[in-house]
Amino acid sequence: MPRGHGIPPVPLSAVLFCTLAVTVASKISCNLPSEDIGSYISRPGDIIVGGIIPVHFNIYNKANFTSQPRELQCRTVVDEYYLTLQALIFTVERINADPELLPNITLGFHIYDTCRTLQRAAQGTLLMLSGGKDITPNYQCHTVAPYAGVIGDSTSRRSILMAQILGLYRYPQVSYYATSPILSDRNQFPSFLRTIPSDEFQMKGLAQLVSYFGWSWLGILATDDEYGQFGLQIIKQEIAKTGACVAFAEYILTSKPDRNAPHLIQVIQMSTARVVVVISTSTDFAIVLEEMLKQNVTGYTWIGSEGWSTSDLLSNKRFQGILTGTAGFAIHQRQMPQFPQHLSSLSPLNDPYDTFMREYWEQTFSCRWPDSDTSAANGSLKACTGNENLASLIAGIDYRTGHTLYVAVYAIAWGLHSMINCSPGYGPFHAGSCANISSFYPWQLLHYVRNVNFMTSDGARVFFDEKGNPPAIYDIVNWRLSAKGSLEKVTVGSYDSSSPDGKTLKLNVSNIKWITQTQVPVSYCSPACPSGFRKLIVPGKPPCCYECARCPQGQISNQTDAAECHPCSWDTWPNLQQDRCLPRPTEFLTYTEPLGYSLAAITSFSTLTPITILGVFIYYRKTPIVRANNYSLSCLLLLSLFLCFLCSLGFIGYPQPEKCLLRQVAFGMVFALCISCVLAKTITVVIAFNATKPGSRLRKWTGAKVPYCVIVFCALIQLFLCVMWLILSPPFHEYDTDTKPGVLIVNCNEGSTTAFWCMLGYLGLLASISFIVAFLARRLPDSFNEAKLITFSMLAFLSVWVSFIPAYLSARGMYTVAMEVFAILSSSWAVVGCIFVPKCFIVLFRPNLNSREHLLGKK
């Protein structure tokens, strides 16, 4: 009857593809003998589970174009494949023995042998859709029990072909070993599900494993089929995300008998990478290993994909020198209760359904059945009795692949279970209807299988995500030498993409045995940059082939292979190794430094000098030389000089905020007072000598108030400048981190440099006026003309401060402050030395010159 009823619309591209597949498969079925078409085993039941899996290994004979094609011969039963077949049979038997899962329903099975070929996979799919006897596209012409889906195939390439055909009918397909990421596309493969995670998860996990051990320079070998091509593409992207680099990426050419192994070995030996990731099946990688044995290539660490990391084929003693220390991802190992007992009980005498068992028995026990066609040709072999025991041969066999198939069959069974327990009116279909377990459409069962969520007998939770993938859980296995001297595979960790704690990769590193025993192998293009250095990318080379450059000044790196260096905080500075930041040493003009206490001592002595002179002047205040040049102004000038010397102490010591605010203002005011007094004395001298001339108008300015008015006026101008400075942009305390690398200079920021230089400029203006007036009055008649002394003092004063400007601007740190203190002391001493020292000399040491007659020039 037609099977098109209830089928959703199908894309035209899929129709064209599958029409071609049907045509090819039909041709194959017409050209193959009947015994090849019938390469399957079956068991009747109320509902049939289809299985399209490999049992034999294909052998291609040389093509003969003079007769019908008979190139494909399936002769060798592979142990791993046959145990997978038995896992399917065992699972069906367990389901039938469970009275609660599918009550009153017996599952049967039809299992087709694909012989690892696309032709057989397409043929088996079409035979199943047509009723299981011959191929009639889109029709089922034989009355059989309804099919509950298809289990298979074991490779992505054959599964893709099957999924394209089965997807047209929304026929549930559950693969137990197809891992290609492309099968997660719901648009192309709407009815495909799998019980093994997609390679997308595995490749991400492998990249994490590589990153975990710090391998930054890797080689990759991958088969040139869907498995290897998609795997290579994904793992290269994931490795790049971790910062590692791929030294080489080569394909294992499955179309060549030698798999291009000589070229691959040459590439491996020429590279400096010591860790190689292999994405392959065991049969393809075994050929590469044979070539490595031939060329005696050892010393590499191999990271395996699940396609070969648990292979018994590669556990051969011959490969120990190459594969010892291998690590890889493996299908998560689960228990299959009573499966070993099932295998132990197998016998061709007890199982008439299994037509492959006789062949497997002959291969396993090296015997021949008496009625076998090959018994005559192999007379040296013993005869098979059927009483041989498999128990000793299956000990230690890995059931990982069998368990994924076990889960696949249970997924279909639980889908049927949900269909049976559907309540009318609450069903998932139109108007709450349910499917009929006796006659259901494939798409109806597909709905239930997609939404299964059950627990297996060993506690594993099984469900499918929106892409038809199960939870991604892998074991990480390590290949090591056992006590018996053989290679054994030990689980040393796991990878769980949905781990509750977010730690997807978990490893017991202490339990891993590498090729160098316990030491983790290294694989890098460039040696690791130590702390204090950073990686410098070399143009034209991969990012992992870098040079190590010292961190820039002021920056550190406290880890190896740092991509960038990090600056220290403002108050810290790198140590010599540039791997940590230390507190910066502070610098200011302190009393504990030689320069600081030297200036402080000079300041203290200098401060006493004007006070001493003032005492002398007070004691000899009635002498002519003291009274001659305005005694009161001289006392005021000495007091201002005392303050000038004293203010320099404000520049020594820790620059506290209050000190910063007042020290420059105090310096400016006392110096303005000092120079104003000098200017007043100069003006007084000029007025005094010129007022004695007949008819001079200066007589009215000879009073005592004139010099004090000059002093107040000049000081008020400076006071105005300082007040505006403090109001608009006052000086403040700051830390200077830029002047001296590695040193924290504590100083006072002037706030406004304009105000500072205006203050100094005004002092220079007063000093210049005093100098000019005194210079013009130097020739006035007098035995002790003070104008000469003022001229020299102002000349020295101006010289000091003119020299101060470039020195101040070029000095750094505490030397800037020291330069200003030196200028204050020098200029103050210039006034003291030029004006008052000569007078004190006469008063103290030449008293005979301290007379009225001498001053008037009568002697």
Side-chain angles (χ1 to χ4, degrees), residues 480-522:
R480 63 176 70 171
L481 288 177
S482 66
K484 298 179 181 180
S486 60
L487 275 176
E488 63 175 353
K489 296 168 281 290
V490 179
T491 301
V492 294
S494 64
Y495 176 85
D496 185 353
S497 63
S498 57
S499 177
D501 59 0
K503 296 181 180 179
T504 55
L505 186 67
K506 297 178 181 178
L507 284 171
N508 182 6
V509 179
S510 60
N511 197 30
I512 300 177
K513 303 297 182 184
W514 301 104
I515 191 172
T516 56
Q517 294 303 313
T518 57
Q519 187 177 1
V520 179
V522 295

Side-chain angles (χ1 to χ4, degrees), residues 327-338:
F329 271 44
I331 301 171
H332 185 49
Q333 190 169 30
R334 294 285 189 181
Q335 297 299 321
M336 294 175 62
Q338 300 179 350

Side-chain angles (χ1 to χ4, degrees), residues 136-156:
T136 308
N138 208 38
Y139 283 87
Q140 188 179 79
C141 301
H142 304 279
T143 303
V144 294
Y147 276 93
V150 176
I151 305 296
D153 193 355
S154 63
T155 66
S156 298

Side-chain angles (χ1 to χ4, degrees), residues 214-217 272 522-531 533-538 541-549 559-563:
W215 296 320
S216 61
W217 190 236
T272 57
V522 295
S523 183
Y524 52 78
C525 180
S526 298
C529 292
S531 300
F533 290 80
R534 64 182 177 90
K535 294 192 292 186
L536 185 64
I537 303 301
V538 180
K541 290 187 177 181
C544 300
C545 299
Y546 49 79
E547 294 179 354
C548 296
Q559 61 183 11
T560 58
D561 277 343

Side-chain angles (χ1 to χ4, degrees), residues 71-82:
E71 297 83 22
L72 179 61
Q73 296 183 15
C74 298
R75 292 184 175 178
T76 304
V77 177
V78 180
D79 291 353
E80 182 181 352
Y81 297 162
Y82 185 74

